[in-house]
Amino acid sequence: MVNQFPLAEVPINSESVINTLETKPQEFALYLDESGSPKPNPDDSSPFFAMGGVLIERSNEGRIKSLLVEFKNRWNINLEIPLHGNEIRSRKKRFAWLGKLSDSEQERFFGDLTNTIISCPIVVHACVVSRQGYLKRYLEKYGENTWEMMRSAFSIIVERAAKYAELKNGTLMVYFEAAGKKEDGLLKQYFNELRSHGNPFDPNRSSQYSPLSNTDFSRLLRGIDSKTKNNLVMQLTDLCLYPVARSQDQPDNRAFLSLREKRLLVDCYLEPSQIDQLGIKYYCFDQA
């Protein structure tokens, strides 16, 4: 198609172009996974429930996928097999072959996996809920009306990721791992409620965290959608969430230390004064 507007007739101000580039909103994507059961069941022995994963700039998505494909190719892992953290750690199911390797080869595998993860351009974020602390704080007060921990954790992690995107002059798209019509519908409901009503917490208790308004959420949140386990970034999410979730009772776990040393945790990108409002949230641990 012929350009009907010759460039020579359009004056170009270089400073204006630079300013436009600097102020153009960035697109961020938050990939979410869960760890543990979200139900407030006193008989559940799991010490925590967590929701979180990786926050990425959309322009880096291709690089992340390439790194994970290269890792799978190095270890002859079929590209259709998800890198599922529990199967890898337990050396079971589709990763039973890992347990048959020598100790040195297993060590090489886990070292390669860790190096692949920390080579990815990601920001790791999460909300980790103490199950015992949550029950102490809410179950006696609300009984059968006590929220599932997923509602609290989802609201917290999405709000903090949205604040981070705003800090970087960006907007946020949210992705979660598809689990079923009912479960997926709940997350979409929570998301839409954030945009229409703001966060669901008691205004007096949450005021110290400078909550976003529904207008803020509508401006910052672009949308929400599900991804399957075959999505490579979602597989990375699963691998990053678990070590953060276990960081309270296993602070020396190697995967968590690697993320922290590589400065991939969201807290590493924040000023100390920002962490309470934007950083990883350890929820109800003061009640445990």
Side-chain angles (χ1 to χ4, degrees):
M1 180 176 177
V2 178
N3 189 338
Q4 299 179 42
F5 304 97
L7 293 177
E9 296 181 8
V10 182
I12 297 177
N13 184 309
S14 59
E15 182 178 349
S16 175
V17 170
I18 292 171
N19 288 339
T20 300
L21 290 173
E22 288 179 346
T23 58
K24 182 180 179 182
Q26 293 191 73
E27 290 187 13
F28 289 89
L30 175 66
Y31 281 75
L32 292 175
D33 198 6
E34 304 169 33
S35 185
S37 169
K39 297 188 179 301
N41 181 359
D43 296 327
D44 194 322
S45 60
S46 175
F48 66 86
F49 169 76
M51 176 167 271
V54 297
L55 183 61
I56 68 170
E57 294 182 31
R58 296 303 293 264
S59 59
N60 288 328
E61 198 164 9
R63 173 62 177 157
I64 293 169
K65 291 179 178 180
S66 293
L67 286 168
L68 293 174
V69 167
E70 290 166 7
F71 170 80
K72 287 187 173 185
N73 288 338
R74 283 196 297 273
W75 291 92
N76 296 316
I77 300 170
N78 190 301
L79 295 181
E80 299 301 315
I81 295 178
L83 295 170
H84 192 269
N86 184 53
E87 292 183 16
I88 292 173
R89 289 188 299 272
S90 62
R91 289 109 163 137
K92 292 181 179 178
K93 297 182 179 179
R94 289 167 291 191
F95 286 86
W97 58 268
L98 189 55
K100 299 176 182 178
L101 299 180
S102 66
D103 289 347
S104 61
E105 276 296 282
Q106 290 188 44
E107 186 69 19
R108 190 168 72 86
F109 173 90
F110 283 104
D112 191 10
L113 179 59
T114 296
N115 287 333
T116 298
I117 292 170
I118 64 177
S119 297
C120 291
I122 57 175
V123 177
V124 179
H125 211 326
C127 175
V128 186
V129 186
S130 164
R131 187 177 303 278
Q132 183 181 5
Y134 191 87
L135 295 176
K136 281 184 178 180
R137 181 180 292 184
Y138 297 114
L139 192 60
E140 183 176 339
K141 184 175 182 179
Y142 295 106
E144 62 182 17
N145 293 320
T146 302
W147 293 351
E148 288 196 2
M149 285 174 274
M150 182 171 65
R151 182 179 184 185
S152 297
F154 178 85
S155 300
I156 290 170
I157 183 65
V158 170
E159 179 171 46
R160 291 182 175 223
K163 287 180 176 179
Y164 181 88
E166 182 178 38
L167 194 67
K168 302 296 183 181
N169 186 39
T171 57
L172 185 71
M173 183 72 187
V174 178
Y175 295 107
F176 61 90
E177 185 177 309
K181 186 175 181 180
K182 180 179 178 181
E183 294 85 353
D184 296 358
L186 272 178
L187 291 182
K188 291 179 179 179
Q189 176 187 324
Y190 299 154
F191 180 89
N192 290 330
E193 288 174 352
L194 287 174
R195 292 212 292 191
S196 59
H197 302 297
N199 81 45
F201 303 112
D202 182 291
N204 294 322
R205 292 179 64 94
S206 62
S207 61
Q208 62 182 308
Y209 300 109
S210 301
L212 296 176
S213 68
N214 60 316
T215 304
D216 294 326
F217 279 116
S218 296
R219 173 173 53 87
L220 295 169
L221 299 180
R222 297 176 54 243
I224 186 170
D225 202 359
S226 61
K227 297 285 187 180
T228 69
K229 290 181 182 293
N230 287 331
N231 180 276
L232 286 164
V233 184
M234 194 59 73
Q235 293 172 41
L236 183 63
T237 294
D238 174 73
L239 294 168
C240 289
L241 177 60
Y242 184 79
V244 176
R246 297 313 304 257
S247 63
Q248 292 299 287
D249 64 340
Q250 296 178 3
D252 295 328
N253 77 74
R254 183 170 68 173
F256 177 74
L257 293 179
S258 296
L259 292 171
R260 189 174 66 186
E261 289 167 4
K262 191 66 174 179
R263 300 185 62 79
L264 295 179
L265 304 176
V266 67
D267 293 10
C268 300
Y269 291 81
L270 303 172
E271 298 294 332
S273 61
Q274 297 173 321
I275 292 176
D276 278 350
Q277 294 185 18
L278 282 77
I280 294 172
K281 176 67 172 178
Y282 296 99
Y283 189 43
C284 292
F285 279 87
D286 57 323
Q287 302 286 318

